[in-house]
Amino acid sequence: MTNAEIVDLLELTGRLMELHEQDAFRTRTFTAAAFNLDKSTADLANLPVEELVKLPGVGKSLAGKIREIAETGRLTELDELLAQTPSGVMDMFRIKGLGVKKIGTLWRELGIETIPDLQQACETGRVAKIKGFGVGTQDKILAALEFLQEQQGKVRMDKAAMLANLLHDLLAEHFDRVEISGQVRRKAQEVDTVQLLVQTSDPVSAMLTLNSLPNLEQNKPNSSPFAWRGRLKGFDVGVELLLNSAEQTDRQLFIQTAAEPHLQQVGAGGMSLLQAAYTSQDASEAAIYERAGLPYIVPEMREDDFAFRWAARYHADDLVTWDDLRGTLHNHSTWSDGKQSVADMANYCRELGLTYFGIADHSKTASYAGGLDAERVRQQQLEIDQLNLNYGSDFRIFKGIESDILGDGSLDYDEATLATFDYVVASVHQTLTMSIEKATSRLLRAIENPYTTILGHPTGRLLLAREGYPIDHKVIIDACAEHNVIIEINASPYRLDIDWRWIDYAMQQGVMLSINPDAHDFAGLLDMHYGVAIGRKGGLIKKMTFNALTLSEIASYFQERRAQIGKK
């Protein structure tokens, strides 16, 4: 059991205890322990009870529960609570903004036990009549339900890649060639079908082999002699395995990777890409583009005609790569809600070959995340000064902060405190329900603040979980251009925000983009791979990537910007 799995089970136990109105003190014990252990770097599964009780929020009883989870993968108390809870009530936990208490009220007062029941109760106005709800809450629930229905059967980029690689390794034991294709190869941020190509000269035997593999569940009505369709047990996303001969695999890899609008693009000779793919004697991807009379497009960008408009100004080699990144600027540590110290995070960055690490812990208003007040900012910066003394000229820690953008658009500190940072990432974290006018106005004021260096996750979205607040992207990007503010590509696969469709417009306006992992631990730093993928999808080139600047270039940038603020 991983730490995350143990914490998830403890947190779910606490939530269900609250739902069933059990002892408040015991409920808080579970929820507090889950909160504290989520930040722990200890290997919970391998700690004995006498070591577990030394961790914050863990008493002897809870330590026993953790041992039970680690040894059995289950918790008896949680199993009993789940047995008392309708599965439809469990589904309501996925609705953003609907807390445990409100779910309990809906269940007990209206007898709502399924998502369809909840939707009907909202549509008939019954939810609005409950004390503590009202029309506003009812409308928000309906909007959240609509969003969830749209996202059903999809997974994020990271889960899709994990599943695709799992299937690839499984299939490679039985077939000579297996290729990941479709949405996963195209680096779609949300995936509804994980597709792989399987090379075989005997489709009948291949299909029998696929149906003999463990955990593969075929949907026979949707399958065909050359296409196995179904699911991998435990994953809520479609799987498509296409059987091809050796002569057709390369051709089909190209065809299945590109979206239909891309394949329909016509080159100078009047031939579409799809026609070129089927008629080219050389089935390599470069040869197919050449036969169609079109410039080569990397797999990530094969969505529609945008890539060809982009190719009129740039070349595929201009696109940013992982190797182009020189540092990372939006990261958290144990000073706020991170799991590793500043020193450990910085040293891991050095191991990754990066030359600078920027710490941007939460600001004071984010008290739920251990946000730093002015005194703790000073203490952290003293620690950074000491750490930097130990590095040579080839590495440096920069002093940043992720400042909350408050309701009126102001930043979270006075000017004296803001002036102590090398840079400021300005982000919205609270009061997310806004009209497009309110959200745009709020961001504009933050962008106009001379201390704002980077605009963090501009829409606040959580993919497949929470729709972002609406903003006028052109107005925001234009303002960033005017005030020399960089825009973040939040590389967390939960966010990938700013959306890739706005990257090219930002570059056209002269706005640089920073691929920021929003890392809270070592693994989070590697999320920059997703940021690079989504950056390339949107056409991001190296010279417009802020954290592709060298250490000396970015140090000079920060110094010059602070000097300009001082002159105002």
Side-chain angles (χ1 to χ4, degrees):
M1 297 289 289
T2 65
N3 279 14
E5 289 169 333
I6 292 171
V7 167
D8 284 347
L9 290 182
L10 292 175
E11 183 179 24
L12 180 56
T13 304
R15 294 175 79 184
L16 288 179
M17 289 171 71
E18 183 179 357
L19 178 71
H20 289 278
E21 298 181 316
Q22 293 194 3
D23 180 75
F25 177 78
R26 288 197 70 244
T27 300
R28 283 195 298 272
T29 299
F30 276 87
T31 54
F35 178 81
N36 288 321
L37 293 176
D38 188 45
K39 298 175 64 175
S40 178
T41 56
D43 185 3
L44 301 178
N46 291 309
L47 287 183
V49 168
E50 52 268 25
E51 292 298 320
L52 286 168
V53 295
K54 297 176 183 178
L55 300 175
V58 179
K60 190 172 182 180
S61 174
L62 198 80
K65 305 288 185 187
I66 294 172
R67 291 307 317 146
E68 181 184 349
I69 293 171
E71 292 165 10
T72 69
R74 310 176 67 86
L75 183 60
T76 302
E77 189 166 357
L78 175 57
D79 288 343
E80 292 170 353
L81 288 165
L82 286 169
Q84 301 167 34
T85 311
S87 60
V89 174
M90 293 294 299
D91 290 340
M92 293 183 206
F93 284 133
R94 297 168 53 213
I95 302 172
K96 286 290 177 183
L98 197 58
V100 177
K101 283 186 170 57
K102 278 189 164 58
I103 292 172
T105 300
L106 290 167
W107 180 23
R108 280 184 285 274
E109 293 196 17
L110 293 184
I112 293 172
E113 293 191 352
T114 68
I115 294 291
D117 287 347
L118 177 58
Q119 182 161 352
Q120 185 183 44
C122 287
E123 289 172 346
T124 56
R126 289 190 293 142
V127 170
K129 296 175 182 177
I130 303 174
K131 184 179 179 182
F133 281 75
V135 174
T137 299
Q138 181 174 271
D139 289 345
K140 288 177 185 176
I141 293 172
L142 278 171
L145 288 173
E146 182 180 352
F147 180 77
L148 281 177
Q149 287 164 2
E150 290 172 355
Q151 312 308 312
Q152 206 166 24
K154 297 179 183 178
V155 292
R156 298 186 311 269
M157 173 192 285
D158 57 327
K159 284 195 173 182
M162 179 187 70
L163 175 55
N165 288 320
L166 188 70
L167 288 167
H168 178 277
D169 293 346
L170 175 66
L171 297 173
E173 295 177 9
H174 302 274
F175 300 95
D176 291 337
R177 184 180 176 190
V178 179
E179 298 285 352
I180 296 170
S181 56
Q183 296 170 345
V184 176
R185 186 170 182 237
R186 206 163 63 241
K187 305 299 182 185
Q189 60 196 20
E190 298 169 349
V191 172
D192 58 29
T193 303
V194 174
Q195 184 191 78
L196 292 90
L197 306 187
V198 177
Q199 185 172 296
T200 179
S201 59
D202 187 350
V204 174
S205 295
M207 196 65 75
L208 291 172
T209 299
L210 293 176
N211 283 321
S212 71
L213 296 177
N215 299 323
L216 275 180
E217 302 172 342
Q218 186 183 24
N219 183 326
K220 290 185 178 180
N222 287 346
S223 298
S224 71
F226 298 97
W228 185 101
R229 295 185 179 93
R231 296 182 185 275
L232 183 67
K233 190 175 180 180
F235 289 87
D236 185 27
V237 64
V239 170
E240 184 175 61
L241 308 175
L242 303 180
L243 308 180
N244 295 280
S245 66
E247 296 75 24
Q248 290 298 317
T249 300
D250 285 338
R251 198 181 313 277
Q252 286 301 316
L253 180 60
F254 172 78
I255 292 170
Q256 298 301 331
T257 293
E260 187 67 24
H262 190 80
L263 291 172
Q264 295 305 324
Q265 296 307 304
V266 176
M271 180 183 293
S272 73
L273 263 177
L274 185 60
Q275 290 172 320
Y278 277 120
T279 59
S280 177
Q281 290 186 349
D282 183 346
S284 68
E285 295 184 327
I288 291 170
Y289 280 103
E290 185 176 354
R291 177 164 174 74
L294 290 166
Y296 174 79
I297 302 298
V298 298
E300 298 96 318
M301 297 183 73
R302 296 175 191 169
E303 292 287 352
D304 48 31
D305 63 337
F306 156 70
F308 298 108
R309 298 195 304 274
W310 178 92
R313 291 174 282 132
Y314 306 111
H315 188 271
D317 291 341
D318 296 326
L319 288 167
V320 68
T321 69
W322 170 271
D323 291 337
D324 292 327
L325 303 184
R326 296 289 175 263
T328 173
L329 294 167
H330 182 173
N331 305 287
H332 299 271
S333 74
T334 49
W335 279 92
S336 65
D337 61 346
K339 294 185 179 180
Q340 267 88 33
S341 67
V342 173
D344 287 344
M345 291 284 278
N347 290 333
Y348 187 67
C349 282
R350 293 188 81 189
E351 291 178 23
L352 294 175
L354 301 176
T355 57
Y356 51 89
F357 169 74
I359 189 65
D361 274 313
H362 286 285
S363 62
K364 60 182 180 179
T365 292
S367 56
Y368 59 90
L372 280 63
D373 60 23
E375 175 56 25
R376 293 184 69 224
V377 165
R378 189 186 69 81
Q379 292 170 6
Q380 185 188 65
Q381 291 180 351
L382 288 173
E383 177 184 301
I384 293 170
D385 287 338
Q386 288 299 310
L387 290 170
N388 277 331
L389 292 176
N390 300 321
Y391 299 125
S393 59
D394 62 340
F395 189 85
R396 182 172 168 185
I397 301 173
F398 287 107
K399 303 168 186 173
I401 196 75
E402 185 181 18
S403 172
D404 266 34
I405 298 175
L406 305 182
D408 63 356
S410 60
L411 300 187
D412 204 8
Y413 297 106
D414 56 36
E415 288 195 11
T417 303
L418 290 169
T420 65
F421 298 109
D422 292 315
Y423 67 99
V424 173
V425 179
S427 308
V428 171
H429 289 114
Q430 301 180 64
T431 316
L432 303 180
T433 303
M434 297 179 281
S435 65
I436 188 170
E437 294 80 12
K438 170 63 178 175
T440 302
S441 173
R442 186 175 175 183
L443 293 187
L444 283 177
R445 186 175 176 199
I447 291 165
E448 292 164 1
N449 190 307
Y451 290 99
T452 296
T453 319
I454 301 172
L455 177 63
H457 45 73
T459 73
R461 74 181 183 186
L462 293 175
L463 293 171
L464 303 182
R466 181 179 74 205
E467 198 169 13
Y469 42 80
I471 62 172
D472 188 324
H473 278 84
K474 284 191 174 182
V475 169
I476 294 300
I477 292 169
D478 291 348
C480 287
E482 180 183 353
H483 296 281
N484 195 25
V485 170
I486 295 125
I487 294 178
E488 171 178 274
I489 299 176
N490 190 292
S492 167
Y494 289 85
R495 292 187 183 273
L496 299 177
D497 185 15
I498 192 171
D499 190 272
W500 64 268
R501 296 166 184 83
W502 290 101
I503 290 173
D504 187 58
Y505 181 77
M507 292 196 305
Q508 288 184 49
Q509 304 311 115
V511 176
M512 296 189 80
L513 296 112
S514 186
I515 298 174
N516 292 346
D518 200 349
H520 289 69
D521 53 22
F522 296 152
L525 291 164
L526 300 177
D527 283 350
M528 287 194 293
H529 282 291
Y530 302 118
V532 168
I534 221 70
R536 289 169 64 85
K537 191 171 190 66
L540 179 61
I541 63 173
K542 175 184 175 180
K543 71 176 185 179
M544 292 302 291
T545 305
F546 186 59
N547 55 319
L549 295 178
T550 65
L551 173 57
S552 61
E553 287 171 339
I554 208 160
S556 296
Y557 180 95
F558 289 149
Q559 186 175 6
E560 290 168 10
R561 186 175 176 88
R562 291 175 69 182
Q564 290 172 0
I565 295 171
K567 292 176 183 177
K568 292 180 180 179

